[in-house]
Amino acid sequence: MISPKIQDAINAQINAEFWSAYLYLSMGMHFESEGCAGIANWFRVQFKEEQAHAEIFINYLLSRGGKVELKPIAEVPTKWKSPLDAFEATLAHEEKVTAMINSIYALAEAEHDYATRGKLDWFVAEQVEEEETAQGLIDRLKMIGKDGLALYMLDNELAARVYNVPAPLATKE
Ligand code: MG
């Protein structure tokens, strides 16, 4: 049985992952309407990944005999000044998510819950990737500046992103 403290922390994380999904879906809608179909696609894939993150935590909590509590998802922004603005918001948000994951990790260690700590290892690595990807796109968008052709090329590139079921969900069954 999982401890009430860790159960609460994981429930808060499930909510944060769904909020992330909502945020990226909102970004996807925004860039779709701005004519950046590739950037929109990138955020829609991100939306699916975040839902998968929530599901991984849900499955884990259930496997430990815990109780999943789905809380309301707070409102998300609906407008961004530019792709750079959106990716900077993405990085800032992912840094917050990383801090949340790290604090559950520390809690798991303090409570000697090594199963939870082990489960979080995948998320720790995932957060490194999330931050690296967002930072990489920020760097490229800064390089692009006001060059419309360069932005068009990046948009085309991001149109190719496809959703892959994250490993902890793909291997669940
Ligand atoms: Mg996530």
Side-chain angles (χ1 to χ4, degrees):
M1 198 70 173
I2 203 153
S3 86
K5 262 193 196 170
I6 293 189
Q7 178 172 291
D8 287 351
I10 292 178
N11 272 314
Q13 190 64 41
I14 290 167
N15 188 267
E17 300 292 350
F18 277 126
W19 192 86
S20 304
Y22 221 39
L23 174 70
Y24 298 137
L25 180 62
S26 184
M27 287 176 172
M29 307 291 92
H30 171 76
F31 287 106
E32 193 82 52
S33 67
E34 292 286 301
C36 295
I39 292 172
N41 171 67
W42 193 93
F43 280 115
R44 282 175 183 239
V45 171
Q46 196 68 11
F47 156 66
K48 289 183 188 159
E49 275 199 1
E50 298 304 336
Q51 281 185 301
H53 294 168
E55 274 191 88
I56 295 164
F57 279 115
I58 288 169
N59 290 342
Y60 175 66
L61 206 46
L62 292 173
S63 75
R64 294 287 309 279
K67 173 105 179 81
V68 176
E69 282 176 359
L70 298 177
K71 303 277 170 61
I73 303 166
E75 200 175 341
V76 291
T78 55
K79 272 195 170 77
W80 292 268
K81 282 182 289 193
S82 62
L84 178 60
D85 184 32
F87 282 106
E88 281 176 338
T90 296
L91 179 61
H93 177 62
E94 290 302 329
E95 285 170 346
K96 278 188 205 155
V97 174
T98 300
M100 286 182 79
I101 300 277
N102 287 344
S103 69
I104 308 174
Y105 199 102
L107 185 64
E109 285 198 323
E111 303 247 319
H112 304 291
D113 182 346
Y114 302 111
T116 296
R117 193 187 68 174
K119 192 73 195 173
L120 288 169
D121 282 336
W122 183 86
F123 283 95
V124 170
E126 175 70 9
Q127 285 310 116
V128 172
E129 206 186 297
E130 299 281 30
E131 290 185 25
E132 186 186 13
T133 305
Q135 185 63 62
L137 287 165
I138 289 168
D139 293 344
R140 290 177 67 189
L141 284 162
K142 281 183 176 167
M143 218 187 299
I144 286 169
K146 297 209 182 305
D147 183 341
L149 180 58
L151 181 61
Y152 173 79
M153 287 169 74
L154 179 66
D155 190 63
N156 269 346
E157 184 187 318
L158 298 185
R161 187 184 186 194
V162 289
Y163 172 68
N164 293 305
V165 179
L169 260 196
T171 55
K172 169 76 181 150
E173 272 78 38

